[in-house]
Amino acid sequence: MRTRTLGSSGPAVGALGLGAMGMSGAYGTSDDAESTATVHAALDAGITLVDTGDFYGMGHNELLLREALRGRDRDSYVLSVKFGMLRGPGGGFGGADGRPEAVRNFLAYSLTRLGTDHIDIYRPARLDPAVPIEETVGAVKEMIDAGYVRHVGLSEVDAETIRRAHAVHPIADLQIEYSLVSRAVEADVLPTLRELGIGLTAYGVLSRGLISGHWNAGQAAPGDARAHSPRFSSGNVEHNLTLVEALRRVAAATGATVAQLAIAWVAAQGADIVPLIGARTRERLTEALPALDLNLTADDLAEIEKAVPAGSARGDRYPTAFMSGLGVGN
Ligand SMILES: NC(=O)c1ccc[n+]([C@@H]2O[C@H](COP(=O)([O-])OP(=O)(O)OC[C@H]3O[C@@H](n4cnc5c(N)ncnc54)[C@H](OP(=O)(O)O)[C@@H]3O)[C@@H](O)[C@H]2O)c1
């Protein structure tokens, strides 16, 4: 797999990354054995960036990765870990904690769960409105100085926050939602990243499966976060799936699947962008990998954007209660 470098200070990684969130219940039940096999298949295919969060399955995701990565050369993969989201035993979310003492505490637990002596990219999952970003990033910088962390990353913050954080310590990458149906980053965030030499790891490139070509209205089961997502809700999803059908026609003409086209479109937006693949099965991973080999022409890209024009999706990308925690809109 070709590599891409995360900003001017970050590591070189395989041009696609693996996001492990779906392996810990975000999309309903998952199977640990199949998740582990998917991690192995991803690494064997040349993926090196593996993204997790300490709150994914309240530690389950890190423990799963610890086992899946056991025996692999620690320098052969790059661990990206998000911290700061507070959860309860029932799984509910309780805001973000970016206090320096919390950063040190979260890190101590993550290192233990992951069974490693360092994390490659450590990032607050969301801005804590009560704590200046300088303090949170300053605490990560201290952990870099102490040898526990290699790089600072950010997640879902606006351009102003990126500048403030970058002034404290060079930021390797921003993780943020970016897809054909979520293009808000293009206005201010992406130009700011490029000005400062910061990479972008794009999540939700398939809009949680909505634009994967495999989604049907009414498919979200209880326990699947998509059951509460406005984009998937009745009244919106039907419209959004008409966009997918338009994309399917372009995909057929290019000999690709819908998911491959959607991933390739994100990858084509710049060599500074690494799309994260949210596969939790080898079958989905196998479909996603060839996306990198699609050499989309300017005409192809224009056709894709004609099928799914910017801003054409209906519904917010998160439930209302979560929208205020995001750096950009839809
Ligand atoms: N920083 C943040 O705030 C943030 C937020 C969310 C996620 N993330 C990270 O980004 C990663 C990816 O995000 P996401 O899950 O929202 O991404 P996504 O790739 O847009 O959606 C993944 C969903 O699409 C389905 N899908 C259908 N065809 C697929 C294919 N060929 N390849 C991959 N998936 C396919 C998946 O599998 P099934 O069909 O098996 O359901 C899954 O349900 C997460 O795992 C996490 O690490 C970060």
Side-chain angles (χ1 to χ4, degrees):
M1 184 180 292
R2 289 188 298 277
T3 60
R4 291 185 169 188
T5 302
L6 293 177
S8 48
S9 68
V13 294
L16 292 176
L18 180 70
M21 181 182 76
M23 298 175 182
S24 295
Y27 300 128
T29 52
S30 53
D31 175 78
D32 284 358
E34 181 57 30
S35 296
T36 301
T38 304
V39 174
H40 292 166
L43 296 177
D44 294 344
I47 283 182
T48 60
L49 178 65
V50 181
D51 181 69
T52 181
D54 58 11
F55 52 96
Y56 289 168
M58 288 79 85
H60 172 269
N61 206 243
E62 292 179 316
L63 293 168
L64 177 88
L65 288 179
R66 177 193 183 122
E67 291 311 313
L69 296 168
R70 192 182 287 281
R72 301 259 169 178
D73 176 359
R74 181 64 187 85
D75 293 331
S76 67
Y77 57 87
V78 171
L79 267 181
S80 156
V81 181
K82 293 182 292 300
F83 66 86
M85 299 304 292
L86 302 176
R87 303 197 68 172
F93 283 89
D97 190 346
R99 295 170 303 137
E101 58 269 40
V103 173
R104 293 186 284 272
N105 176 75
F106 287 132
L107 177 62
Y109 281 82
S110 281
L111 289 170
T112 304
R113 280 189 295 256
L114 286 162
T116 183
D117 62 358
H118 72 279
I119 283 165
D120 298 285
I121 311 175
Y122 202 45
R123 67 182 85 242
R126 293 288 182 274
L127 197 59
D128 177 347
V131 179
I133 189 66
E134 287 84 353
E135 289 185 22
T136 305
V137 169
V140 180
K141 178 184 185 311
E142 276 175 29
M143 296 297 97
I144 290 177
D145 294 342
Y148 298 118
V149 172
R150 297 275 191 269
H151 302 278
V152 190
L154 295 172
S155 169
E156 281 291 351
V157 290
D158 63 10
E160 164 69 12
T161 305
I162 295 167
R163 286 184 191 285
R164 286 172 52 189
H166 193 66
V168 176
H169 190 277
I171 302 299
D173 70 315
L174 168 72
Q175 195 174 103
I176 198 160
E177 188 162 358
Y178 190 20
S179 74
L180 275 164
V181 291
S182 300
R183 298 181 59 173
V185 294
E186 291 173 354
D188 296 325
V189 164
L190 197 46
T192 302
L193 296 177
R194 288 179 171 157
E195 178 196 325
L196 300 176
I198 299 172
L200 188 158
T201 47
Y203 78 82
V205 295
L206 297 177
S207 193
R208 323 297 178 116
L210 178 65
I211 60 166
S212 67
H214 300 294
W215 191 262
N216 300 307
Q219 194 177 322
D224 183 331
R226 292 171 293 200
H228 312 287
S229 165
R231 290 228 165 131
F232 289 82
S233 69
S234 175
N236 291 334
V237 72
E238 295 81 0
H239 165 80
N240 294 334
L241 289 176
T242 65
L243 302 173
V244 177
E245 289 317 304
L247 197 56
R248 200 186 297 280
R249 288 190 282 278
V250 183
T254 53
T257 69
V258 176
Q260 288 164 354
L261 208 61
I263 296 164
W265 180 86
V266 174
Q269 303 312 305
D272 50 353
I273 297 172
V274 174
L276 289 175
I277 303 303
R280 54 184 169 157
T281 62
R282 284 168 289 179
E283 185 187 354
R284 295 297 196 223
L285 177 75
T286 302
E287 181 190 13
L289 291 171
L292 275 186
D293 302 323
L294 286 181
N295 289 313
L296 299 177
T297 64
D299 283 350
D300 294 333
L301 292 169
E303 284 301 312
I304 293 169
E305 291 183 33
K306 212 159 86 185
V308 187
S312 57
R314 278 196 200 142
D316 287 341
R317 60 190 178 97
Y318 275 87
T320 310
F322 291 89
M323 286 301 290
S324 62
L326 305 175
V328 298
N330 294 309

